[in-house]
Amino acid sequence: MTIIKRIRVFFAGIFMVAVSLLYAAAPTEALPDITAVLSLALLLYGVKMMVFYFTLARHMTGGLAVLFRAVLIFDIGLFAFYLPDVPLIYVMIYLAAIHGFAGIAGVLKALEAKRLEAPSWKLNFFHGLVNAIMAVLCLVFSKSIRTAVLIYSSGLFYSGVIRIIQAFRKTASIYVQ
């Protein structure tokens, strides 16, 4: 990781921790902000994946799946963005889906890293496990606004702390001669 990327990841982690603490301080007022952030994040991620498809993935094996995923994520983000008052259950389903996908991907990434004997597999496994637990909590406590916001803010806090840790972790460099 370059110095500029480390600085960017560090400040993104600090920002995530600060926002999570603000949301936890006023959970009932934070729900409209959370729905806006979730829909905007889905929209931006969908656009990012579409750009990735049109620049590189269309030439790769399985690249069409990237396009389908990008369009689906973009549509879900647009749907959430244009609903004036999103019911809480939809927000919780979005949160559960995001945490569930990140949890499964994190655990699979950790198992792959363990198979390759990489030293960072434990942190990836723990991160994936926490995301999977967050997904289950989102589904269990889907009726309470306060609990939903606290789950979201705790997940945001945890992700911010992980980013700060990643900013200071040494990365291996491969030199080809």
Side-chain angles (χ1 to χ4, degrees), residues 81-163:
F81 192 72
Y82 280 112
L83 287 177
D85 292 321
V86 178
L88 178 65
I89 191 73
Y90 291 139
V91 174
M92 294 307 288
I93 289 172
Y94 285 153
L95 279 176
I98 290 168
H99 281 296
F101 181 74
I104 291 170
V107 168
L108 290 175
K109 180 181 174 184
L111 293 176
E112 178 75 17
K114 182 180 180 184
R115 189 175 60 84
L116 297 173
E117 298 175 1
S120 65
W121 75 269
K122 292 176 187 172
L123 182 63
N124 288 336
F125 184 78
F126 184 70
H127 188 57
L129 193 63
V130 168
N131 272 323
I133 291 169
M134 287 290 200
V136 171
L137 287 176
C138 285
L139 293 176
V140 169
F141 296 110
S142 62
K143 303 275 190 232
S144 170
I145 291 176
R146 180 175 170 77
T147 308
V149 172
L150 290 177
I151 289 171
Y152 178 76
S153 62
S154 65
L156 193 64
F157 182 83
Y158 177 74
S159 294
V161 169
I162 290 294
R163 283 185 180 233

Side-chain angles (χ1 to χ4, degrees), residues 39-50:
S39 60
L40 188 65
L42 288 170
L43 283 171
L44 291 176
Y45 186 65
V47 169
K48 178 183 171 186
M49 286 179 63
M50 282 185 213

